Structures are given as C-alpha cells and as structure tokens.
Amino acid sequence: MTRIGIATALASILMLGSASFAAQKDQTFTGEITDNQCAKMGSHEAMMKSMNMKSTKECALGCVKAGGKFVLYNAAAKTVYQLDDQTKPEQFAAEKVAVIGSLNKDTGTIHVTDIKRVR
C-alpha cells in the first residue's frame, strides 16, 4: 500500500470514529447523586454511623472530600454510573436527580450535559 493509500485509510477510520462519537445522543438517567463508596454499599447507613454524620448529604460531601467521586446511583436497578463532571453534581449531593448526557458503555461513565432535581 502506498503512503497515500495508508493516509486515506487512516483518515477514513478517524472520520468513522468521529461520526460514531458525534452520533451519540443525550439520554436521561435518574437516581441519586452520591459518592462511589456509599453507592457500592447501596446505602449511606454504615458510613454515616462510622463517621458520626447526621445526613446523607453530609455523608456524600464528606466522602468526596476524603477522595471519593460523585456518581449517579439508581437504587431500583442497583446501577452506579460514573460522572465525568465532578463539579456540577456537588450542589445535588444526596438528591434525586435526572442526569442528561451520553453514556460511554465501555466505562459506565456519563458525559454530563445537565443535571436537574426530580421531585
């Protein structure tokens, strides 16, 4: 294969990869914004007891401050989604929300476009 042929093939591969990435549409995922440690346990109960915390919000914020990450936890489906944005979720700690974004199925990470409270 010539250099031009290789370059054309690589350009085609890159364009296809870009097109599939761009084709991902935003979806809505519901659950609670929490920290990854409590989400693994399915509850804040144990952490709140051991750290003498009074609320689930205090627990989630404390766990993230101690090195954890904000995640979206769907208790009904027992599913934890990683969140690529760790700034937006802070104001929604321990709240039921709808996260709008695209899911990377390989990593289980949502590319967050928006977060809204669910009442």
Side-chain angles (χ1 to χ4, degrees), residues 2-113:
T2 67
R3 282 188 192 185
I4 294 173
I6 293 172
T8 303
L10 287 173
S12 296
I13 291 169
L14 289 174
M15 285 174 47
L16 286 174
S18 300
S20 67
F21 179 74
Q24 289 183 358
K25 293 184 179 180
D26 282 353
Q27 298 174 284
T28 300
F29 304 87
T30 58
E32 176 187 330
I33 296 292
T34 189
D35 60 279
N36 57 327
Q37 298 99 316
C38 291
K40 281 182 191 175
M41 293 185 282
S43 168
H44 293 278
E45 189 177 336
M47 195 66 83
M48 286 176 61
K49 260 186 194 175
S50 71
M51 302 302 280
N52 196 29
M53 295 180 179
K54 295 175 178 32
S55 71
T56 55
K57 182 171 186 149
E58 182 183 3
C59 182
L61 292 171
C63 289
V64 169
K65 187 175 181 179
K69 298 282 186 188
F70 285 114
V71 298
L72 178 68
Y73 176 62
N74 182 310
K78 296 194 183 327
T79 305
V80 178
Y81 297 101
Q82 307 302 313
L83 302 173
D84 73 338
D85 183 338
Q86 290 292 298
T87 305
K88 283 181 192 171
E90 184 174 8
Q91 65 181 312
F92 300 100
E95 292 186 40
K96 302 278 188 242
V97 298
V99 174
I100 297 93
S102 56
L103 176 65
N104 179 326
K105 291 181 182 178
D106 294 334
T107 64
T109 302
I110 299 172
H111 173 71
V112 178
T113 302

